[in-house]
Each structure stands twice: as C-alpha cells, then as structure tokens.
Amino acid sequence: MRNANGLSKQCIEKIIGVRDTQELIAGKWKTAIIGMLQYNGKTRFMDMKRGLEGIASKVLSNELKELEMNHLVRRTVESDAPLSVAYELTSHGKRLTAVIESMASWGIAYRKRVLIHKQLD
C-alpha cells in the first residue's frame, strides 16, 4: 500500500531509519570516532586525539559525550597513574560495524578512482 505521496510503508520506514542514523552519527567527527573505536578497540582519549588529525580536544570531548549519551560509546576511567579515560563501542555501537565498513570500502575505492583520474589529466 502506498501513501498520498506514492511511497510504500516500507520505503517510508527505511527513510526514517536512515534519518535516525544520520542524526546519531552526524557531524564531521562522529563517524571517524566510531571507525577508530571499531578498528582500534578500546582507545584512550589522547590516543584518539592524536589519531584524529585536526580535531580539537573540546570537540572530541563533546562528540564523545553525545555518542555516550546515545549509548554508542562507553567511557571508562582507567586507574592508571596518571589517571586516564578510555572509550570503546557498546554492543549497540558495534552494530554500526557494517555501516562503517561499507563507508570505508567505498571511500577507499573513491579515493583510488579520483587519484587515477587526476593522474590522467
């Protein structure tokens, strides 16, 4: 059955799902943070900051707080001296693995294609 716009219930449900996902991982850094935690596992704040070239500490902190608030990332205070904080994906956050892997594969292929075309020019 289709609605007044000619869209099926399944289509509308998928579009809403895409929008909800976009809202959770929107922004310049959230997807990169999730990817880092996916590929690197549990990561300390400063190691993450060094790995995400160009991110400011305050921005990283805010993005991690939002990801934690949305149950995608878990924050753990390490009892090392000096005290440090580490982050890892929650089981819910790990469900984004296929999304991140698809994005990584697509991005790698795209980068190769663009570099090949630039060399041909």
Side-chain angles (χ1 to χ4, degrees):
M1 178 174 257
R2 298 189 179 275
N3 71 3
N5 295 328
L7 301 174
S8 70
K9 182 179 177 182
Q10 182 183 21
C11 177
I12 292 168
E13 183 178 52
K14 296 286 184 176
I15 290 168
I16 291 170
V18 168
R19 188 183 64 219
D20 290 345
T21 304
Q22 281 180 304
E23 287 176 11
L24 285 173
I25 63 174
K28 181 177 179 180
W29 296 105
K30 283 192 182 89
T31 307
I33 292 166
I34 293 167
M36 173 174 276
L37 294 173
Q38 176 180 316
Y39 296 120
N40 196 52
K42 193 173 191 177
T43 306
R44 294 182 321 169
F45 182 89
M46 288 308 295
D47 292 336
M48 197 177 308
K49 185 178 179 327
R50 282 190 283 277
L52 296 169
E53 192 173 309
I55 192 168
S57 293
K58 183 173 178 136
V59 172
L60 177 57
S61 179
N62 288 340
E63 297 287 56
L64 286 165
K65 282 178 187 174
E66 284 185 32
L67 290 168
E68 185 180 12
M69 182 182 70
N70 288 308
H71 309 284
L72 300 175
V73 168
R74 179 180 305 109
R75 179 182 187 270
T76 307
V77 177
E78 306 280 321
S79 59
D80 304 352
L83 203 63
S84 66
V85 177
Y87 295 86
E88 62 188 319
L89 293 176
T90 62
S91 59
H92 190 61
K94 289 177 182 174
R95 294 184 67 198
L96 287 167
T97 296
V99 173
I100 300 299
E101 189 59 38
S102 292
M103 290 175 72
S105 296
W106 188 91
I108 290 166
Y110 178 76
R111 180 176 288 271
K112 287 178 182 175
R113 180 179 177 171
V114 168
L115 289 176
I116 288 170
H117 286 295
K118 281 186 178 182
Q119 291 173 358
L120 296 176
D121 289 342

